[in-house]
């Protein structure tokens, strides 16, 4: 269970695939983690709960060999500290627009000497891992993912990528589109052109480029563009679409019969 191999896989340039956790329930987290995913995304930015609602879910995810990825609500040292202390292997920080904000995220995420995070994780006590060993090696396991979600962030892309301690830049299509003046028009040609250029601009930087999508065709397109870390929709979203299709098929059959 410890250490999780996510950081090493990213360094190796491997394809990293995950999905989002649709509900804070132990069985949902465990069953979702039994699929062939590398990470499970827990969102505490837009969902109406924080790390106090997670309980042992990050530990249950770790036990399946999957990396809990917790998106915090803001680039705040208290939020980031709590997320990692609760068991996150990776932390996602939204709306990082400048290299200074990226450097602050690094300080908030890592123990000294790389960062300034306070020392006292709780998850090893629940998981039965050696507390001191986890602390000594935490910086080697922890993955920092910062979100590129604005025109300003794109303008500062190379400078943000040069900040030591950042592993992944996650492009947020919806907020990026809004920042560009295309609210809820993620597929506008202008937005897609920017998304296509980002991996090219960072080629050879050692930084992995991520995004989150639902359509399998669009996901494969972005992988062809150079994205190597992908959040593949949500089990709930995919499940509801399948259910709706089955119901439509059955009602249509009944009407024709």
């Amino acid at each position: 269970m410890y250490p999780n191999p996510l950081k090493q896989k990213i360094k190796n340039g491997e394809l990293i695939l995950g999905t989002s956790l649709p509900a804070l329930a132990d069985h949902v987290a465990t069953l979702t983690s039994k699929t062939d995913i590398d990470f499970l995304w827990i969102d505490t930015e837009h969902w109406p709960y924080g790390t106090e609602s997670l309980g042992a879910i990050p530990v249950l995810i770790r036990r399946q060999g999957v990396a809990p990825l917790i998106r915090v609500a803001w680039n705040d040292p208290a939020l980031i500290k709590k997320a990692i202390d609760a068991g996150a292997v990776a932390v996602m920080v939204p709306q990082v627009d400048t290299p200074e904000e990226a450097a602050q995220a690094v300080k908030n995420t890592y123990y000294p000497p790389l960062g300034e995070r306070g020392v006292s994780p709780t998850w090893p006590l629940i998981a039965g891992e050696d507390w001191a060993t986890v602390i000594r090696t935490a910086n080697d396991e922890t993955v920092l993912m910062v979100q590129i979600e604005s025109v300003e962030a794109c303008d500062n892309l190379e400078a943000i990528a040069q900040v030591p301690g950042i592993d992944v830049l996650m492009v947020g299509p919806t907020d990026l589109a809004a920042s560009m003046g295309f609210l809820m028009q993620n597929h506008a040609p202008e937005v897609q052109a920017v998304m296509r250029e980002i991996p090219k601009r960072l080629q050879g930087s050692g930084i992995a480029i991520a995004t989150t999508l639902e359509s399998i065709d669009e996901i494969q397109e972005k992988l062809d563009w150079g994205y190597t870390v992908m959040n593949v929709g949500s089990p709930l979203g995919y499940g509801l679409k399948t259910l709706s299709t089955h119901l439509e098929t059955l009602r249509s059959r009944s009407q024709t019969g």
Side-chain angles (χ1 to χ4, degrees), residues 28-246:
V28 175
T30 300
L31 292 174
T32 305
S33 297
K34 289 180 180 294
T35 63
D36 188 22
I37 55 174
D38 299 294
F39 68 85
L40 186 55
W41 178 352
I42 304 169
D43 188 22
T44 65
E45 181 190 13
H46 292 297
W47 284 88
Y49 45 66
T51 50
E52 68 274 8
S53 303
L54 301 183
I57 285 176
V59 173
L60 293 173
I61 296 169
R62 278 178 173 268
R63 283 182 174 164
Q64 302 303 319
V66 173
L69 164 62
I70 298 179
R71 177 164 67 175
V72 296
W74 195 245
N75 190 4
D76 182 302
L79 298 177
I80 293 172
K81 175 168 59 179
K82 283 180 175 292
I84 301 176
D85 286 352
V89 169
V91 63
M92 186 192 305
V93 181
Q95 297 180 324
V96 174
D97 294 329
T98 67
E100 292 78 17
E101 291 174 357
Q104 185 61 54
V106 171
K107 287 183 179 180
N108 296 341
T109 299
Y110 294 100
Y111 291 141
L114 184 56
E116 299 177 350
R117 183 163 72 91
V119 180
S120 192
T122 55
W123 79 264
L125 305 177
I126 301 170
E129 295 289 335
D130 184 74
W131 191 73
T133 298
V134 168
I135 291 171
R136 284 194 296 266
T137 59
N139 282 1
D140 296 328
E141 185 202 50
T142 301
V143 171
L144 174 57
M145 183 182 298
V146 301
Q147 287 201 262
I148 303 299
E149 303 185 273
S150 69
V151 172
E152 183 180 8
C154 289
D155 289 343
N156 291 320
L157 187 67
E158 288 82 1
I160 292 172
Q162 290 174 9
V163 175
I166 293 175
D167 300 293
V168 183
L169 296 182
M170 161 69 82
V171 181
T174 303
D175 282 348
L176 177 59
S179 177
M180 293 177 64
F182 297 97
L183 184 65
M184 296 305 295
Q185 299 176 60
N186 297 11
H187 295 98
E190 295 86 347
V191 177
Q192 292 299 301
V194 170
M195 291 191 68
R196 187 165 193 159
E197 286 300 312
I198 287 175
K200 295 179 183 178
R201 290 170 60 184
L202 295 179
Q203 192 170 10
S205 67
I207 298 291
I209 312 301
T211 193
T212 175
L213 298 164
E214 183 176 288
S215 163
I216 189 63
D217 292 334
E218 190 173 4
I219 288 171
Q220 293 183 88
E221 175 189 62
K222 298 305 184 285
L223 295 179
D224 290 340
W225 288 0
Y227 289 79
T228 59
V229 180
M230 183 67 62
N231 185 76
V232 182
S234 162
L236 180 61
Y238 289 133
L240 289 174
K241 284 189 175 182
T242 300
L243 175 60
S244 295
T245 299
H246 289 344

